[in-house]
Amino acid sequence: MSRLGLGVGVVFVAAALAQGAADFARARADWAAMGPLPPGSAAPAFAVRTLSGAQFEPEHLQGKVSVLTFWATWCPACRSEIDDLDELDDEYEGRPDVQFMAVNAEGVPPREAWRKAAGYAAKEKLSLPIAVDNGSMSRKFRVGPIPHTVVLDPSGTVRHVHLGRVSSSTIAEEIEQLLQESR
Amino acid sequence: MRRALARYGGALVAPRATVAASGPEEGLRDGIWLSLLYLAVTSVYPVAEGFANWWATRNLGGIVMILSAFGRALIVPIVALVAVETILGQGRAHRRGLALVPMVVVVLAMRQVPWRATVGVPYLPELLAMLAAVGWTLWVRRSIPEQEARG
């Protein structure tokens, strides 16, 4: 084994470990802003328009348990979850203390996103309220992979976050727990 | 440790001589150590993001995110090791781990240049790293002393 080989080996391993250490330091510095908006956070400022033309903003979260799910028509797990939430929304129909909002995060220009979301809602005969996001609301809730579902309490505080497909029974349990707390 | 470092350096400065001089029982865990170095170079931040996802959700979805981060990180060295082992054949496969040295060098170099801004090819570092491992293996293959296949 040559001295040159040993020297190059030391530099090689040291450089790799230094890169890992630098990334670790960066991750530590970014930790608070990594991942989704965690439970305990207040809902950030946002404004999206629903398919029915209404504006949906943080003030609409007040006094209600809110279930926000970020989805897209190209995402099979999202479509499956949306179908479930549509049924759950029907179960809570007429309840002023619970609301659902499916926030479309299609990742395409707004007009196209609108057309796709509306087309899907019509095809599936969804009664679930749907809003179309231009990316700004998703960024504020720090949405990564979808479906991404957030359950907020009546004060507009994030209480539960789900990454990936979540069952409607889990959401129903969380809604009931938050309703009990607020009574 | 010293011999491992010399072997890793030798794999870069004198690959054929290094593999020819390495004893049959030497460096059998190179694949594991070099895979960990590969993770250190490429995946500390994504794995931290996986943990951040779990920290926020504290549920099965969060655990899946961590596993997914590790899976995405490990898939490249695993595929590379399988490709290298196929090229080397059973008699020379004991030296497969050393092929990860050029891989780590390529991903380390790609971390230092802003390739994303100029090249529109996704996974370019991973592709180049795999090519480096395969190219290195083809280059040194005949210099690796063949071993009897173990029963």
Side-chain angles (χ1 to χ4, degrees), chain A residues 1-2 4-6 8-10 12-13 15-17 19-21 23-24 26-27 30-31 34-39 145 161-164, chain B residues 2-3 5-6 8-10 12-13 26 34 37 40-41 44-45 48-49 51-53 55-57 59 61 65 101 104-105 108 111-112:
Chain A
M1 300 284 169
S2 71
L4 176 64
L6 179 62
V8 171
V10 169
F12 163 72
V13 171
L17 293 177
Q19 180 69 61
D23 287 346
F24 183 73
R26 194 163 59 93
D30 294 352
W31 179 259
M34 278 175 141
L37 196 66
V161 181
H162 300 279
L163 305 180
Chain B
R2 194 182 161 87
R3 287 191 69 82
L5 290 171
Y8 300 162
L12 293 170
V13 294
E26 204 177 329
L34 289 164
L37 272 189
V41 172
V44 170
Y45 199 88
E49 279 181 319
F51 275 98
N53 285 330
W55 188 254
T57 60
N59 59 26
M65 290 292 159
V101 172
V104 175
V105 170
L108 188 56
R111 289 295 310 273
Q112 316 310 317

Side-chain angles (χ1 to χ4, degrees), chain B residues 37-145:
Chain B
L37 272 189
Y38 181 89
L39 289 186
V41 172
T42 61
S43 307
V44 170
Y45 199 88
V47 167
E49 279 181 319
F51 275 98
N53 285 330
W54 171 77
W55 188 254
T57 60
R58 309 279 181 99
N59 59 26
L60 186 64
I63 294 170
V64 170
M65 290 292 159
I66 296 178
L67 294 178
S68 152
F70 272 110
R72 280 198 307 271
L74 282 171
I75 191 85
V76 177
I78 289 171
V79 170
L81 284 172
V82 170
V84 163
E85 190 166 340
T86 306
I87 293 167
L88 290 176
Q90 210 176 359
R92 295 183 169 107
H94 59 286
R95 203 50 68 214
R96 63 185 176 270
L98 221 45
L100 296 184
V101 172
M103 264 187 92
V104 175
V105 170
V106 168
V107 289
L108 188 56
M110 292 297 283
R111 289 295 310 273
Q112 316 310 317
V113 293
W115 64 273
R116 275 176 223 275
T118 50
V119 186
V121 182
Y123 304 110
L124 183 64
E126 289 83 357
L127 289 171
L128 291 178
M130 295 268 258
L131 281 176
V134 168
W136 184 92
T137 308
L138 289 169
W139 189 25
V140 303
R141 183 178 179 275
R142 288 190 186 282
S143 303
I144 301 172

